[in-house]
Amino acid sequence: SGTEGAFVNRKRLLPNTWHEITRFDEVNIRGAILEISPRIFLGRDRVGIDTQPLYYRLPGGSGRVLCDGAYVRAKPGTLTTIMGPAGCGKTILLNLLSGAIKPDEGAIIVGERFALDPGYGGVRDYIGYVPQGDEMIPELTVRQSLHFRLRLKFPDMDEAVRTRLIRQTCRQLGLAPSRIDQFLDTRIGSSERAGQGLSGGERKRANIAHELISKPLILILDEPTTGLSSVEAAQIVRLLKALAQQELLTVVTTIHQPGPDVFECIDELIIMMHGGKLAYHGPAARAKGYFERLTGSRCSSRNPAEYLLEQVFDPDAGARLVSSFSGARLLYPDLAPPYSGDCQRQPS
């Protein structure tokens, strides 16, 4: 509670009152400025997301398998990227991770303890999901949209705190202080009408901001670089890498075909094959050598991502990589095994 001689951002607090603060506020009590570690504002313990082998079949009569034993092991502070040919099940795997759909077999475990279930709001609140398409209202400015987002999520939050959180989120997005107000006061507009709202890179940042502002511990993104230039794509992925490292978030994303600069940012790489099967799950830096040893083909000076995808685009070579992966985990300790620990339901 505030006492005489207590200030926040150089404004005196009234006696016996509470004042919400954010990590960028200056707190001065009786002439002493408090050094409050950003760690305090991280709040909940950082958590990763792990899964057992997941299986998901298309509902209805066909029974087509869309996820066939794929799994994810993602830790706080890391950027995990899922790659694979179109139609291999990347988005299905993200929807399973986010709790949007429930697997027919297998479990998703948050924080190596609780199984994710679509009905368990407490665990699902840990997760932010950024879809490939826009879900923003084009008539609003970014500032208005973010204020509405916070009012829906935290209806009792003080307006001044909402304002500070919005600006803090903009700083997390890598916006220079001189550009924040311009970004916030721009009408979102439609992605189909260039020049009448946010640019492509700004739209991606605004989409990320709408999830980031709710303080998730796990951030999942579907194709965040789609439609961007190579320069803008590299900027967005570097942003995601920085968020993972600075905020200790667990970041999982799909990317269709990253350029060399983007590929260098990836910590953990998952490569999927048609039918939702895994061909690789391990450090991105080791993937090229692993594929070269198994296929006998050389990457040489090519973009590593292009080389890796080339191997799984070939049905025969991809099938051999999938069949080799389970056995290869015994020979290559860097490869990630599926989660095999115990988990429990979220406490009420």
Side-chain angles (χ1 to χ4, degrees), residues 12 20 22 24 28 87 133 161 205 265 267 287 331 343:
R12 183 186 295 273
E20 295 177 274
T22 66
F24 294 101
N28 184 316
V161 174
R205 282 179 165 81
C265 294
D267 296 309
L331 301 174
C343 61

Side-chain angles (χ1 to χ4, degrees), residues 54-59 64-65 67 96 101-106:
L54 301 175
Y55 298 86
Y56 181 77
R57 297 167 184 84
L58 191 67
R64 178 186 168 197
V65 178
C67 187
L96 290 167
I101 58 176
K102 189 172 183 178
D104 296 318
E105 299 177 45

Side-chain angles (χ1 to χ4, degrees), residues 40 181 209 243 246 251 332:
I40 292 175
D181 285 319
L243 288 173
Q246 295 170 11
V251 181
Y332 300 94

